[in-house]
Amino acid sequence: MPYCTFCNIVAGTERAQVFYEDDDVLVFRNLLRWVEVMLLAVPKRHLSQEELWADLGGVGRAAAAMGRRYCPNGFRLVSNFGPDALQSQMHAHVHVLGGGGMDALMPLGRPTQTLIDRQDLHATKAVTGDWPPVAITVQPRPVIDQETLWNNMGAVGAELVRLGQEYCPVQSGSAHWRYGGGFRFVSNFGWDALQSLPSAHVYLLGGAELGHYI
């Protein structure tokens, strides 16, 4: 396997400040300092983002728990896929961001078109010309809260990956994502993250370079 920073941190051959560990998951501090709290929740086994989101499992639970513990005023959970989302590590991971106010993800109150309307899932896509070009809101049914969703993402994760690949395909062509494309998953919790939907949701953003994720 090519060199992987996260695999080395899991193995203990590279140093990191660890906040949580169990048999399958490790949560450690990100070296970046864009906001007060920047953590990374990773599976100990080397997986791609797509593989992780097919069964988010303990990584989702740990990410939400660490956000709630260290960011009581709100936090944001983020996963990046491909160059447009500025994915820099191939080892699957979820960002936990908080400790202060963050920017809005996208304009609110825009017209939408329904992509999925089932008993278990509802998804709508913004149809205005605002940035980002692709902005999809995915919500499980029946209505649950954010914590419940992230404790058991279930089939929602695989559906998100399918939508991302359909509307914002990664034009990989190489291991370093040189050819563009990609998407980002974001969930907001609380005031600091400007949570506007009270029920569980994940935003899927893409269609252009998205910039940083706080």
Side-chain angles (χ1 to χ4, degrees):
M1 182 182 295
Y3 170 80
C4 175
T5 299
F6 291 175
C7 282
N8 287 349
I9 290 173
V10 169
T13 58
E14 292 191 35
R15 296 178 61 187
Q17 184 179 358
V18 174
F19 283 69
Y20 173 82
E21 182 175 8
D22 62 28
D23 290 342
D24 303 309
V25 180
L26 191 69
V27 181
F28 54 91
R29 185 182 292 280
N30 194 325
L31 292 179
L32 299 173
R33 293 292 187 271
W34 295 338
V35 289
E36 183 178 342
V37 176
M38 293 189 70
L39 307 179
L40 291 157
V42 309
K44 286 187 171 180
R45 187 160 62 97
H46 187 100
L47 301 173
S48 68
Q49 293 286 61
E50 290 84 357
E51 289 171 327
L52 173 63
W53 279 82
D55 182 11
L56 196 60
V59 173
R61 291 190 290 273
M66 294 297 97
R68 190 69 69 195
R69 178 173 180 179
Y70 293 104
C71 311
N73 293 323
F75 57 98
R76 184 168 287 168
L77 301 181
V78 176
S79 268
N80 298 320
F81 293 71
D84 280 354
L86 305 184
Q87 181 185 356
S88 61
Q89 299 291 332
M90 296 301 104
H91 188 126
H93 58 284
V94 173
H95 294 271
V96 183
L97 309 168
M102 289 174 278
D103 292 337
L105 294 173
M106 56 188 180
L108 300 176
R110 298 183 295 175
T112 59
Q113 69 180 83
T114 299
L115 301 179
I116 300 172
D117 190 14
R118 304 193 310 241
Q119 288 187 337
D120 64 327
L121 198 67
H122 184 71
T124 55
K125 178 179 180 293
V127 296
T128 68
D130 293 328
W131 183 92
V134 176
I136 298 172
T137 303
V138 176
Q139 295 177 279
R141 288 174 167 170
V143 173
I144 57 176
D145 60 25
Q146 287 284 64
E147 201 90 23
T148 301
L149 173 63
W150 279 82
N151 282 336
N152 183 14
M153 187 67 66
V156 175
E159 194 71 70
L160 280 159
V161 171
R162 185 191 69 78
L163 288 169
Q165 292 171 337
E166 178 178 352
Y167 288 95
C168 315
V170 177
Q171 304 165 33
S172 52
S174 79
H176 300 289
W177 311 105
R178 290 175 181 168
Y179 295 101
F183 48 94
R184 174 175 295 159
F185 298 154
V186 185
S187 277
N188 295 328
F189 292 70
W191 177 256
D192 277 355
L194 304 180
Q195 180 181 354
S196 60
L197 296 175
S199 60
H201 62 276
V202 181
Y203 296 114
L204 191 166
L205 309 178
E209 185 170 316
L210 297 173
H212 297 306
Y213 38 85
I214 60 170

